[in-house]
């Protein structure tokens, strides 16, 4: 079975551990993940891809389990030196081990390799067991429009999320460069050749909706032969981890499983979903959408693999 997954960073990484565990029970199966790159940022001259790295480190067993991102056994000496120099920004944590990844990536990009090739090269070392594809090879970044004394101002998503902890009201998300971006090499094929497409329980606004907004990706899901099943990232009205509830209202979407399903839409009504898994006690009613409820807490790769099995079963109904 060829499974293609749409995913963001920390939530996406946990989900992919479960997909990989599920696929391990099916000989000859392949898992491809299309990862959000709207969070990418250049700091201190380094190109940083937070979601790709969270997924890569997690699947490699090299992630700091408590934080959910960055390397286990990390040290922060370079960052301390940068702070001594007064080199801005100081609000984005960059570990010493992590910086090596960014150095390799930045050098390869400067040499002309597309991000998809760079990602494959980095994954050579980590043996992730899942093929990781950036959603696009082109640079596009999510910016957040906020109010200031002069009216409105846009800041990079990372500044809003990490520095301000999503505490400044967002007026709008702007995807800089997305309109003219193309899906990265391999992305469209992974959707049109898949037997099963899964939309992981990632941030629906700044992870999944960003991927879906790369021209060509939404159409490939909608027109593709594989069933598309999504898993709700919202449980009982709040995101399990993180601050996704700061994002949905900006789009006028209710923070609920039903709200997110409405955002993605049922395929029969021009959206992308055939089926939707919600957490026990949550509901969604959308014409044309097959809905099933079950425990959606990703407490272990095995528990998540069972979710994936149910998603595949829902697709086969
Ligand atoms: P980020 O890029 O690091 O913010 O991570 P993602 O976009 O991949 O995922 C973050 C989202 O995952 C959060 O907003 C939560 O809604 C969701 N999430 C995290 N843990 C769980 C879980 O155990 N179950 C479900 N259903 N969703 C989760
Ligand atoms: Ca992210």
């Amino acid at each position: 079975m060829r499974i293609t997954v749409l995913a963001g960073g920390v939530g996406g990484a946990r989900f992919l551990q479960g997909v990989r565990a599920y696929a391990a029970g099916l000989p000859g199966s392949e898992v491809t993940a299309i990862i959000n790159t709207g969070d990418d940022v250049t700091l201190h001259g380094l190109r940083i891809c937070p979601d790709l790295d969270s997924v890569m480190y997690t699947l490699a067993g090299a992630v700091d389990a408590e934080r959910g991102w960055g390397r286990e056994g990390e040290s922060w000496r370079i960052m301390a030196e940068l702070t001594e120099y007064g080199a801005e920004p100081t609000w984005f944590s960059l570990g010493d081990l992590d910086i090596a990844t960014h150095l390799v990536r930045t050098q390869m990009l400067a040499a002309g390799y597309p991000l998809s090739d760079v990602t494959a090269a980095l994954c050579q070392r980590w043996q992730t067991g899942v093929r990781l594809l950036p959603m696009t090879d082109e640079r596009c970044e999510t910016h957040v429009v906020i109010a200031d004394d002069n009216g409105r101002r846009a800041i990079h998503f990372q500044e809003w999320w990490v520095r301000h902890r999503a505490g400044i009201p967002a007026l709008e998300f702007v995807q800089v460069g997305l309109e003219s971006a193309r899906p990265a090499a391999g992305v469209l094929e992974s959707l049109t050749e898949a037997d099963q497409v899964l939309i992981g329980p990632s941030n629906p606004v700044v992870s999944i909706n960003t991927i879906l907004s790369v021209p060509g990706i939404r159409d490939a899901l909608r027109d593709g032969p594989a069933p598309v099943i999504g898993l709700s990232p919202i449980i009982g009205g709040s995101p399990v981890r993180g601050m996704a509830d700061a994002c949905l209202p900006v789009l006028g979407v209710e923070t609920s499983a039903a709200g997110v399903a409405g955002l993605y839409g049922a395929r029969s009504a021009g959206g992308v979903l055939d089926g939707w898994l919600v957490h026990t006690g949550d509901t969604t009613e959308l014409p044309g959408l097959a809905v099933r409820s079950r425990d959606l807490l990703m407490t272990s790769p095995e528990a998540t693999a069972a979710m994936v099995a149910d998603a595949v079963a829902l697709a086969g109904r």
Side-chain angles (χ1 to χ4, degrees), residues 8-12 51 201-203 207 232-233 235 239-241 244 296-298:
V10 176
D51 288 2
S202 285
N203 187 312
S207 292
S232 175
I235 290 185
V240 188
R241 304 178 179 81
L296 287 188
L297 286 170
M298 299 189 284

Side-chain angles (χ1 to χ4, degrees), residues 8-10 36 39 50-51 54 157-158 161 203 206-207:
V10 176
N36 169 48
D39 296 10
D51 288 2
S54 292
F157 171 74
Q158 294 298 348
W161 191 253
N203 187 312
V206 292
S207 292

Side-chain angles (χ1 to χ4, degrees), residues 18-276:
V19 179
R20 184 176 62 181
Y22 170 80
L26 300 171
S29 57
E30 281 170 32
V31 182
T32 300
I34 302 170
I35 308 293
N36 169 48
T37 57
D39 296 10
D40 293 7
V41 65
T42 300
L43 300 173
H44 307 291
L46 300 173
R47 190 66 182 157
I48 300 163
C49 303
D51 288 2
L52 277 168
D53 289 346
S54 292
V55 170
M56 182 173 77
Y57 294 152
T58 300
L59 291 174
V63 77
D64 183 293
E66 207 162 300
R67 282 198 308 271
W69 55 269
R71 294 282 303 278
E72 189 180 20
E74 187 59 282
S75 55
W76 309 91
R77 298 190 64 191
I78 296 174
M79 212 179 127
E81 284 298 293
L82 288 168
T83 305
E84 287 298 327
Y85 281 116
E88 294 288 341
T90 50
W91 45 262
F92 195 91
S93 299
L94 286 172
D96 300 333
L97 301 177
D98 196 28
I99 283 172
T101 303
H102 309 318
L103 283 169
V104 174
R105 174 186 295 124
T106 305
Q107 260 178 318
M108 285 189 74
L109 289 171
Y113 291 97
L115 183 61
S116 47
D117 283 358
V118 176
T119 304
L122 293 170
C123 287
Q124 278 275 321
R125 170 183 175 197
W126 293 111
Q127 300 291 313
T128 51
V130 171
R131 187 163 66 117
L132 302 188
L133 300 176
M135 64 184 196
T136 178
D137 280 327
E138 274 133 305
R139 182 169 163 161
C140 55
E141 295 177 353
T142 302
H143 286 224
V144 184
V145 179
I146 58 170
D148 77 356
D149 298 342
N150 303 320
R152 293 153 68 95
R153 179 164 71 96
I155 58 176
H156 192 284
F157 171 74
Q158 294 298 348
E159 184 170 359
W160 181 69
W161 191 253
V162 176
R163 183 182 193 183
H164 300 294
R165 313 277 313 149
I168 303 178
L171 305 177
E172 198 187 336
F173 294 106
V174 180
Q175 315 287 353
V176 181
L178 199 62
E179 265 168 46
S180 58
R182 286 161 299 157
V187 165
L188 291 181
E189 294 78 358
S190 81
L191 290 171
T192 53
E193 292 166 10
D195 301 304
Q196 176 70 60
V197 175
L198 298 172
I199 298 185
S202 285
N203 187 312
V205 179
V206 292
S207 292
I208 301 298
N209 205 44
T210 308
I211 301 173
L212 291 175
S213 302
V214 176
I217 292 190
R218 197 186 298 270
D219 289 348
L221 264 97
R222 198 161 38 201
D223 303 340
V228 179
I229 308 293
L231 291 88
S232 175
I234 303 295
I235 290 185
S238 63
V240 188
R241 304 178 179 81
M243 308 173 283
D245 46 341
C247 302
L248 283 163
V250 181
L251 302 194
V253 175
E254 182 188 80
T255 305
S256 67
V260 178
L263 176 66
Y264 299 162
R267 200 202 297 231
S268 56
V272 296
L273 291 175
D274 297 303
W276 184 235

